[in-house]
Amino acid sequence: MSKESKSVPGRDWSWRSRALRGLLYQAIAVALLAALIWYLASNTLTNMRVRGIQSGFDFLNSPAGFQIGESLFDFDSNQTYGIAFLIGLTNTLRVALVGIFFTTLLGILLGVGQLSRNFLVRALCRVYVEVFRNIPLLLQLFIWYIIFTQFLPANSEPLHPVPWVFLSQNGLQYPIPSWEFGHLLSLLGLIAGVIAAWMYKRAAIRHLELTGRIRPLLWPALALIIGGAVLGWLIGGAPNEVWVPEPGEFTIAGGGAITPEYMTLLLGLTLYTASFVAEIVRGGIQSVSVGQTEASSALGLSRTQSLRLVLLPQALRVIIPPMTSQYLNLTKNSSLAVVIGYPDLVSISNTSLNQTGRAVECIAVIMAVYLAISLATAGLMNLYNRKVAIKER
């Protein structure tokens, strides 16, 4: 062996090893936490048994005995509590995922708008942020719910903003296509278009790195996505049958519908959380050195190109961690749905608790579900954060 080669040192298992002491301390902490949890659970079960309170999750297989006013899937009172909890979970995810999407779009627009050179745009964005983030979310939900249920016209005289769309105290009714095989092919074409747009973006970035020339991204990407959906629709026979809502004497029948409760929760969560996201985006962009803006201007990039290609990619390392917290807050704040009657997971758990008396079990289900959703969201955002992080050489 040459003198230049270095031997790999063995692991030091003595008490002087900082790594060994750290591992031991962590093991002790985990053991103490497990013992505390076991003690609390054992003590709770003992007290419940002494007082004659039933415990266990066997009630999940019993008929629920109540209806759910709004769900993506059919549910009747003969189905089990377990199915009811799954319906509540889908309703929660339905609000959280759509809310995260619109919050991101609105928050980015407001954050960039606060840095606009136009005084009116900058002032309006600033006023929006200050107003919505300083009014409690619960109060905003009450305001929107009153507007949707009291100030909109009755079902017999709905607003008619565009053809085949009706807005009333019954919610928003809109036309939907009658599902056929061609719609499935259109959806598959849409997914294929998204993949093609992503591949085109990667090719455009590679072309920019090799040649320094910028290829357009927005319109070619939209053309690929829309073209894929249209092509799948044509291959499937171009189905065009539409289920149109028709106003009646007391209600509006047919078509798709969004209830006032869902609109209230989605709008309230989106507008409230977007005000915080806007500040995160603004701070992230301003954290990038001014020299980067000057360099992009010297290269001939427009202000929009500089924002999209230079500032935002560097700002993401500052934006993503607090943005993850706002996504988690939005998901957890969706539990306020119970105050406006939207049947989310918490609302259905409360109903189940009142009927079965299994308070510990119902609360445990809520805790486990929100913990799983939060950990999954944080994990995905951490993966994305590592992907966009600037690699130092």
Side-chain angles (χ1 to χ4, degrees):
M1 181 181 297
S2 63
K3 295 181 179 179
E4 296 181 355
S5 62
K6 298 180 180 179
S7 60
V8 180
R11 187 180 297 274
D12 185 6
W13 292 106
S14 66
W15 181 252
R16 293 172 297 178
S17 171
R18 181 180 299 178
L20 177 63
R21 293 198 304 270
L23 184 62
L24 183 60
Y25 293 152
Q26 293 181 41
I28 294 174
V30 171
L32 291 176
L33 180 61
L36 177 62
I37 293 174
W38 175 84
Y39 170 76
L40 292 176
S42 176
N43 188 55
T44 300
L45 293 175
T46 301
N47 291 332
M48 292 174 62
R49 185 166 54 253
V50 170
R51 290 165 176 77
I53 301 176
Q54 292 183 338
S55 62
F57 291 91
D58 56 305
F59 75 99
L60 293 175
N61 296 322
S62 304
F66 60 85
Q67 297 286 345
I68 298 178
E70 181 176 355
S71 66
L72 295 175
F73 309 99
D74 293 333
F75 180 84
D76 59 69
S77 58
N78 293 324
Q79 292 180 290
T80 63
Y81 283 102
I83 302 298
F85 276 102
L86 290 177
I87 296 295
L89 173 60
T90 58
N91 285 343
T92 296
L93 294 176
R94 179 188 174 201
V95 171
L97 296 178
V98 178
I100 287 174
F101 175 77
F102 286 112
T103 293
T104 304
L105 292 181
L106 181 59
I108 292 175
L109 292 176
L110 290 170
V112 174
Q114 291 184 88
L115 303 175
S116 173
R117 294 176 179 175
N118 186 299
F119 171 77
L120 181 59
V121 173
R122 188 170 64 251
L124 288 176
C125 292
R126 191 63 193 172
V127 168
Y128 173 94
V129 170
E130 293 300 330
V131 169
F132 278 90
R133 74 172 180 170
N134 288 298
I135 298 178
L137 176 57
L138 184 60
L139 182 57
Q140 293 188 40
L141 293 178
F142 281 137
I143 292 173
W144 288 116
Y145 189 66
I146 291 173
I147 291 174
F148 286 139
T149 58
Q150 300 297 327
F151 290 93
L152 287 180
N155 302 336
S156 57
E157 299 178 353
L159 295 177
H160 192 44
V162 295
W164 298 348
V165 176
F166 302 93
L167 183 62
S168 66
Q169 295 179 0
N170 196 42
L172 180 67
Q173 278 77 28
Y174 52 91
I176 58 174
S178 298
W179 185 259
E180 297 182 21
F181 180 70
H183 296 122
L184 176 59
L185 294 182
S186 179
L187 179 60
L188 295 177
L190 178 67
I191 296 174
V194 170
I195 296 174
W198 175 74
M199 295 176 63
Y200 173 80
K201 177 185 176 182
R202 289 179 60 89
I205 293 176
R206 193 178 303 111
H207 178 77
L208 174 64
E209 294 173 348
L210 294 176
T211 65
R213 298 177 181 176
I214 301 175
R215 287 180 177 177
L217 287 178
L218 178 60
W219 297 114
L222 287 177
L224 288 172
I225 295 173
I226 297 175
V230 172
L231 181 61
W233 178 69
L234 293 174
I235 294 176
N240 56 7
E241 185 177 354
V242 179
W243 192 20
V244 179
E246 298 179 356
E249 185 176 356
F250 300 104
T251 186
I252 302 174
I258 300 178
T259 63
E261 293 77 16
Y262 180 79
M263 289 194 299
T264 296
L265 188 60
L266 179 62
L267 188 62
L269 290 174
T270 299
L271 297 181
Y272 177 76
T273 313
S275 62
F276 292 92
V277 172
E279 285 293 272
I280 293 171
V281 173
R282 178 191 61 80
I285 294 175
Q286 290 183 325
S287 70
V288 180
S289 172
V290 179
Q292 298 293 321
T293 304
E294 296 173 349
S296 60
S297 299
L299 291 174
L301 297 179
S302 66
R303 185 173 173 83
T304 302
Q305 290 174 332
S306 175
L307 178 66
R308 179 169 56 87
L309 299 175
V310 179
L311 299 181
L312 277 179
Q314 297 185 67
L316 282 177
R317 58 181 177 176
V318 179
I319 291 174
I320 291 177
M323 186 84 81
T324 303
S325 298
Q326 293 305 318
Y327 290 165
L328 297 178
N329 288 337
L330 186 148
T331 303
K332 291 181 287 188
N333 285 338
S334 66
S335 60
L336 293 175
V338 66
V339 302
I340 58 173
Y342 179 72
D344 73 324
L345 178 67
V346 175
S347 176
I348 292 177
S349 297
N350 288 339
T351 303
S352 302
L353 187 155
N354 292 330
Q355 292 189 176
T356 63
R358 307 290 178 91
V360 175
E361 290 80 358
C362 291
I363 294 175
V365 170
I366 297 175
M367 292 172 58
V369 169
Y370 276 102
L371 178 62
I373 294 175
S374 298
L375 291 177
T377 303
L380 292 175
M381 292 299 294
N382 287 336
L383 288 176
Y384 183 69
N385 187 32
R386 285 197 292 269
K387 180 180 178 181
V388 302
I390 297 178
K391 308 295 190 301
E392 296 183 1
R393 298 180 179 178

